């Protein structure tokens, strides 16, 4: 009753400030409706439908203030009304600004009395998870961690409670008895994604308590909140949210007209803001040493208030602030990253699950959202696990015609694993061969960037081994050194296979060849090779030298300079004079230069190409160098020096 009186008083004061127009009438009808449900004693009130329609009309159009939400939630969870009215009350709890934490803690206390039915409890949990980031505080909710954990025993509530615990869990909450309980539940229910996710979170906070985890990676929580989410996004993005900050103004007042042009796309990412209990209570702020996020605008402020910064209520808003991303990178708060990853997974699933490039506006929103994620990953130097799932699903349906640069950029953050070829590269191969040469170049470039990141991890791992640190690479997947090397080898082999076919398909396109060579330049520069690989490389160099210089490409002797091939096989090729057909004079790629050299040097004589030998050979080499063949010059000077010193 006390809560209902406060809500009624505030609404009565607001209706007086709203004037005598439609807003005042709406406020008065809302006040009467809240007061009616708070005081009615019948389980099926006779005038319930009339007042319910008034609440629903206002809630879905302009949202409800915190006091109204608190009063109506208390009515719905008390079990005084039949479930038909309780369900409708819960469905119309659309906040215009924030959700008071006291309303949630009171609702959980009603659950302990078993007065609300299980259907109402499940509906309440779905609503709570939807508005979790809108809570004005979570301190009291954290104090109920043990009670929330108790409800894991209920089969219907378990998925929702797991997700709530996932959002609330801190290192202090991880206890040995809770780990044992989760493992017992898992053995009873089998592998459940919500239990696996919570166990993995516990393992991050306290690895000494969790020795084994289920194989595989848990999928995202499948908890639908679309019942309220679309209405909340529409109301809060339309400008009603800020009006609730002043006690004398209610959500029913029209938002002020903005002079700037309205954006075409929706604001999917929340604005960075501290919880209201931080921004409004300056005295409490001084006591708790909490720095308001709205005032964080410079890097020097971040350094000065480093220990007083508190993550925002809506975790997705950190994507708007490079300073907060730097803060996450420094403090290494795994729970913050997990909350952000969960928010991204929800948004990708609920907002863009049906995005296929047919709607131009939808594609623009999608592209902008993916660009923000990519910039965040670059800042954090770490990928989000939800993006791995998104890329995996996209590659099976993607036609490479929309958001190609964004999806390929996300691909460069895929971590090394034993099944990375099967999950990501095989679906990509089908697109690669059926797309244009420019898309092929983009794919090779993305594979090069992915290789650079994996080689960076490899160098870090080797450096840690030199310092006698355990042979485990500190990545989100804890990849071993051998596993990382295997992944790099598979990536190089995959790129080799698709490159050979692509060059044949595109008639050895120069642009494609440039990107492929850039990939392989990265492999010799970045990878620490062994003796066997050097020997194989030197064999290739000798074979190239024998082709271009010594005319012993396919000779058999005790000191082979080329590639040994039987004479009968050479005869089957029907290449005339196969021994000298690939020298710098007769090679198909250089024969034109040789003919021009003869014509320019002896214009009145009929010299043939075999005349290029001895001193003329040296003149011809200088001629080739003057034609701008710098790569050939570098290769020959280096290789011939090596060859001459080996007495061959």
């Amino acid at each position: 009753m006390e809560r209902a009186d406060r809500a009624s008083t505030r609404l009565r004061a607001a209706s007086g400030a709203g004037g005598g127009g439609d807003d005042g009438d709406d406020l008065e009808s809302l006040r009467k409706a809240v007061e009616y449900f708070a005081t009615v004693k019948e389980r099926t009130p006779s005038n319930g439908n009339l007042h319910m329609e008034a609440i629903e009309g206002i809630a879905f159009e302009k949202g409800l203030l915190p006091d109204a939400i608190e009063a109506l939630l208390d009515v719905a969870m008390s079990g005084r009304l039949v479930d038909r009215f309780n369900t409708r009350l819960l469905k119309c709890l659309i906040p215009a600004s924030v959700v008071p934490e006291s309303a949630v803690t009171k609702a959980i206390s009603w659950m302990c009395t078993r007065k609300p039915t299980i259907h109402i409890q499940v509906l309440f949990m779905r609503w709570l998870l939807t508005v979790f980031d809108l809570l004005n505080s979570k301190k009291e909710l954290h104090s109920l961690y043990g009670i929330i954990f108790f409800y894991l025993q209920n089969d219907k509530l378990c998925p929702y409670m797991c997700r709530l615990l996932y959002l609330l869990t801190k290192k202090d909450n991880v206890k040995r008895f809770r780990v044992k309980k989760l493992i017992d539940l898992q053995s009873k229910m089998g592998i459940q994604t919500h239990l696996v996710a919570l166990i993995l979170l516990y393992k991050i906070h306290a690895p000494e308590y969790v020795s084994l985890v289920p194989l595989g990676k848990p999928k995202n929580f499948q908890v639908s909140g679309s019942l309220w989410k679309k209405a909340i996004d529409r109301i809060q993005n339309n400008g009603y949210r800020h009006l609730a900050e002043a006690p004398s103004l209610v959500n029913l007042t029209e938002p002020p007209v903005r002079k700037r042009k309205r954006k075409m796309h929706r604001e999917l990412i929340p604005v960075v803001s501290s919880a209201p209990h931080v921004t409004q209570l300056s005295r409490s702020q001084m006591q708790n040493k909490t720095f308001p996020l709205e005032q964080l605008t410079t890097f020097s402020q971040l350094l000065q208030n480093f220990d007083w910064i508190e993550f925002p209520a809506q975790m997705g808003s950190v994507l708007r602030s490079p300073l907060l991303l730097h803060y996450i990178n420094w403090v290494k708060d795994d729970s913050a990253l997990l909350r952000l990853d969960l928010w991204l997974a929800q948004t990708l699933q609920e907002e863009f699950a049906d995005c296929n490039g047919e709607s131009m506006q939808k594609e623009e929103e999608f592209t902008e959202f993916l660009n923000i994620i990519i910039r965040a990953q670059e800042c954090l130097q770490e990928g989000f696990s939800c993006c791995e799932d998104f890329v995996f699903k996209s590659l099976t349906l993607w036609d490479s015609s929309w958001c190609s640069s964004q999806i390929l950029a996300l691909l460069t953050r895929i971590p090394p694993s034993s099944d990375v070829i099967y999950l990501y590269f095989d679906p990509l191969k089908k697109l690669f061969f059926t797309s244009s040469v420019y898309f092929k170049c983009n794919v090779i470039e993305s594979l090069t960037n992915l290789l650079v990141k994996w080689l960076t991890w490899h160098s870090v791992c080797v450096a840690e081994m030199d310092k006698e640190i355990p042979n485990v690479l500190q990545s989100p997947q804890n990849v071993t050194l051998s596993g990382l090397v295997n992944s790099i080898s598979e990536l190089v082999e995959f790129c080799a296979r698709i490159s050979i076919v692509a060059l044949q398909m595109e008639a050895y396109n120069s642009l494609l060849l440039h990107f492929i060579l850039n990939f392989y330049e990265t492999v010799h520069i970045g990878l620490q090779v062994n003796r066997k690989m050097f020997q194989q490389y030197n064999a290739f160099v000798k074979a190239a030298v024998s082709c271009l210089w010594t005319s012993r490409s396919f000779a058999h002797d005790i000191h082979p300079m080329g590639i040994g091939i039987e004479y009968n096989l050479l005869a089957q090729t029907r290449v005339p004079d196969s021994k000298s057909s690939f020298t710098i004079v007769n090679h198909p790629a250089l024969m034109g230069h040789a003919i021009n050299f003869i014509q320019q040097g002896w214009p009145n004589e009929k010299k043939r190409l075999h005349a290029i030998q001895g001193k003329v050979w040296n003149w011809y080499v200088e001629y080739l160098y003057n034609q701008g063949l710098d790569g050939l010059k570098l290769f020959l000077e280096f290789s011939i020096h090596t060859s001459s010193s080996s007495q061959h």
Side-chain angles (χ1 to χ4, degrees):
M1 290 297 295
E2 181 182 352
R3 208 173 260 107
D5 290 341
R6 288 204 308 267
S8 180
T9 301
R10 183 171 180 182
L11 289 171
R12 186 180 292 110
S15 63
D22 293 338
D23 291 342
D25 295 339
D26 288 343
L27 282 169
E28 183 61 23
S29 62
L30 177 60
R31 182 189 66 78
K32 290 181 179 179
V34 172
E35 188 175 355
Y36 174 81
F37 282 113
T39 56
V40 70
K41 296 181 180 180
E42 307 171 38
R43 283 184 56 79
T44 309
S46 56
N47 294 326
N49 286 329
L50 180 62
H51 290 293
M52 184 64 71
E53 290 172 359
I55 295 174
E56 289 172 339
I58 297 172
F60 284 100
E61 181 184 358
K62 299 177 180 178
L64 299 177
L65 286 177
D67 285 349
I69 289 177
E70 188 169 7
L72 295 176
L73 180 60
D74 186 66
V75 173
M77 297 299 293
S78 66
R80 297 200 305 268
L81 304 177
V82 294
D83 273 6
R84 175 166 57 88
F85 284 109
N86 295 331
T87 300
R88 292 176 67 182
L89 284 175
L90 286 173
K91 288 183 177 180
C92 70
L93 296 183
I94 311 297
S97 57
V98 296
V99 176
E101 184 188 25
S102 56
V104 174
T105 55
K106 182 66 181 298
I108 293 177
S109 69
W110 277 119
M111 290 176 63
C112 298
T113 65
R114 299 184 179 180
K115 289 187 176 182
T117 63
I118 189 64
H119 167 73
I120 296 300
Q121 294 182 44
V122 169
L123 193 61
F124 161 70
M125 287 303 303
R126 289 176 57 192
W127 173 81
L128 174 57
L129 293 171
T130 304
V131 302
F132 181 83
D133 283 332
L134 297 178
L135 292 175
N136 61 356
S137 174
K138 300 179 183 69
K139 185 177 181 180
E140 295 180 8
L141 198 57
H142 274 106
S143 65
L144 300 178
Y145 191 94
I147 296 176
I148 298 170
F149 191 90
F150 173 80
Y151 279 97
L152 292 179
Q153 301 176 81
N154 188 299
D155 292 344
K156 292 186 177 180
L157 290 174
C158 184
Y160 307 98
M161 293 300 179
C162 276
R163 182 175 168 188
L164 181 58
L165 292 172
Y166 190 92
L167 296 171
L168 292 174
T169 298
K170 297 180 179 179
K171 187 176 179 64
D172 296 340
N173 300 124
V174 181
K175 307 294 182 183
R176 192 181 298 273
F177 74 90
R178 287 177 178 149
V179 174
K180 184 177 182 302
K181 182 64 178 178
L182 287 175
I183 295 176
D184 291 343
L185 285 172
Q186 182 177 261
S187 62
K188 174 185 174 183
M189 300 180 180
I191 302 298
Q192 303 291 330
T193 56
H194 47 275
L195 288 174
V196 172
L198 192 56
I199 291 174
L200 288 176
L201 178 59
Y202 275 29
K203 183 176 178 63
I204 289 175
H205 287 304
E208 67 276 11
Y209 291 165
V210 186
S211 56
L212 296 175
V213 294
L215 295 176
K217 184 172 61 177
K219 303 298 181 184
N220 299 324
F221 287 100
Q222 300 296 322
V223 180
S224 175
S226 58
L227 184 66
W228 300 274
K229 183 173 177 55
K230 291 183 179 180
I232 293 174
D233 290 342
R234 175 177 53 80
I235 289 170
Q236 299 210 352
N237 289 335
N238 282 343
Y240 291 99
R241 181 182 181 187
H242 70 284
L243 297 173
E245 295 179 359
S248 59
L249 295 178
V250 282
N251 53 305
L252 297 174
T253 307
E254 291 295 330
V257 178
R258 298 181 180 180
K259 294 183 179 180
R260 63 181 178 88
K261 185 178 180 180
R262 189 183 184 89
K263 291 184 178 180
M264 291 292 292
H265 61 274
R266 298 165 295 161
E267 295 290 346
L268 294 174
I269 300 177
V271 177
V272 176
S273 61
S274 302
H277 74 286
V278 175
T279 58
Q280 294 177 6
L281 303 178
S282 58
R283 182 175 301 177
S284 175
Q285 173 186 328
M286 295 300 295
Q287 294 174 354
N288 297 332
K289 300 287 187 180
T290 302
F291 184 79
L293 296 179
E294 295 87 342
Q295 301 178 17
L296 184 63
T297 56
T298 63
F299 195 75
S300 60
Q301 286 180 325
L302 175 65
L303 297 177
Q304 294 169 3
N305 301 279
F306 195 85
D307 296 326
W308 302 337
I309 291 177
E310 181 180 274
F311 284 117
Q314 300 192 69
M315 201 61 199
S317 62
V318 301
L319 296 175
R320 288 182 177 270
S321 173
L323 294 175
L324 286 179
L325 290 175
H326 283 300
Y327 181 70
I328 291 179
N329 228 355
W330 179 259
V331 297
K332 298 297 181 183
D333 189 339
D334 291 323
S335 62
L337 283 174
L338 288 170
R339 281 185 58 201
L340 179 57
D341 192 80
L342 181 61
W343 182 88
L344 286 172
Q346 272 187 282
T347 306
L348 286 171
Q349 180 181 358
E350 296 178 358
E351 298 292 341
F352 302 111
D354 58 341
C355 188
N356 54 12
E358 295 180 357
S359 172
M360 184 65 68
Q361 181 178 349
K362 191 85 169 182
E363 183 178 354
E364 290 178 359
E365 292 178 357
F366 188 43
T367 303
E368 181 180 353
F369 187 69
L370 292 181
N371 286 333
I372 292 174
I373 295 177
I374 292 167
R375 289 195 293 269
Q377 289 188 150
E378 291 299 323
C379 181
L380 297 173
Q381 289 297 297
E382 185 175 343
F384 298 111
S385 62
C386 67
C387 293
E388 300 171 31
D389 296 332
F390 171 75
V391 171
F392 168 67
K393 295 175 182 177
S394 298
L395 289 177
T396 58
L397 304 173
W398 186 36
D399 62 357
S400 76
S401 63
W402 56 278
C403 300
S404 59
S405 60
Q406 286 75 25
I407 293 180
L408 290 177
L410 292 176
L411 183 68
T412 63
R413 284 293 174 185
I414 299 298
S417 65
S418 58
D419 54 358
V420 68
I421 298 293
Y422 168 74
L423 292 178
Y424 300 101
F425 296 159
D426 283 347
L428 183 64
K429 181 169 59 176
K430 300 175 183 177
L431 284 172
F432 181 82
F433 290 137
T434 57
S435 299
S436 66
V437 64
Y438 302 106
F439 180 77
K440 290 182 175 70
C441 294
N442 289 334
V443 170
I444 298 297
E445 184 181 27
S446 298
L447 295 179
T448 305
N449 294 334
L450 177 63
L451 178 65
V452 169
K453 293 179 175 64
W454 286 7
L455 290 174
T456 303
W457 285 347
H458 178 267
S459 61
V460 172
C461 189
V462 172
E464 290 179 349
M465 289 183 61
D466 294 340
K467 298 178 182 178
E468 298 183 353
I469 298 176
N471 182 20
V472 175
L473 180 63
Q474 296 302 315
S475 70
Q477 285 71 29
N478 288 331
V479 181
T480 61
L481 177 59
S482 59
L484 176 58
V485 173
N486 290 337
S487 296
I488 293 175
S489 300
E490 291 178 354
L491 175 60
V492 174
E493 291 176 4
F494 172 80
C495 190
R497 291 196 301 270
I498 65 173
S499 297
I500 292 172
V501 178
L503 286 173
Q504 294 174 349
M505 293 175 62
E506 303 296 341
Y508 292 87
N509 181 276
S510 300
L511 182 63
L512 179 61
L513 186 60
H514 166 77
F515 282 96
I516 293 174
L517 292 176
N518 186 41
F519 177 88
Y520 281 99
E521 285 179 2
T522 306
V523 177
H524 297 312
I525 292 175
L527 187 63
Q528 297 186 11
V529 295
N530 54 26
R531 181 188 299 271
K532 182 179 179 181
M533 192 172 295
F534 275 121
Q535 291 175 347
Q536 188 178 17
Y537 174 78
N538 288 334
F540 291 149
V541 172
K542 289 179 181 179
V545 170
S546 66
C547 287
L548 295 172
W549 198 265
T550 64
S551 300
R552 301 178 61 179
S553 310
F554 312 107
H556 282 275
D557 55 28
I558 60 174
H559 300 294
M561 279 294 293
I563 303 173
I565 299 179
E566 299 293 338
Y567 177 78
N568 59 341
L569 294 178
L570 288 175
Q572 293 178 15
T573 63
R574 298 181 180 179
V575 175
D577 193 14
S578 58
K579 291 184 179 180
S580 60
S581 294
F582 299 100
T583 64
I584 59 174
V585 176
N586 298 316
H587 196 287
L590 299 172
M591 185 179 291
H593 290 292
I595 294 174
N596 289 336
F597 170 74
I598 291 292
Q599 292 176 347
Q600 293 178 21
W602 297 269
N604 299 324
E605 301 182 23
K606 295 183 178 180
K607 285 185 175 290
R608 298 182 178 273
L609 294 181
H610 63 77
I612 303 178
Q613 54 184 328
K615 187 180 296 184
V616 179
W617 177 284
N618 296 332
W619 294 346
Y620 173 60
V621 172
E622 291 295 330
Y623 171 81
L624 290 178
Y625 292 168
N626 292 331
Q627 302 305 306
L629 302 178
D630 297 333
L632 178 67
K633 178 181 179 181
L634 180 64
F635 176 77
L636 289 179
E637 289 182 348
F638 175 78
S639 303
I640 297 304
H641 172 73
T642 304
S643 178
S644 62
S645 66
S646 60
Q647 299 182 2
H648 288 288

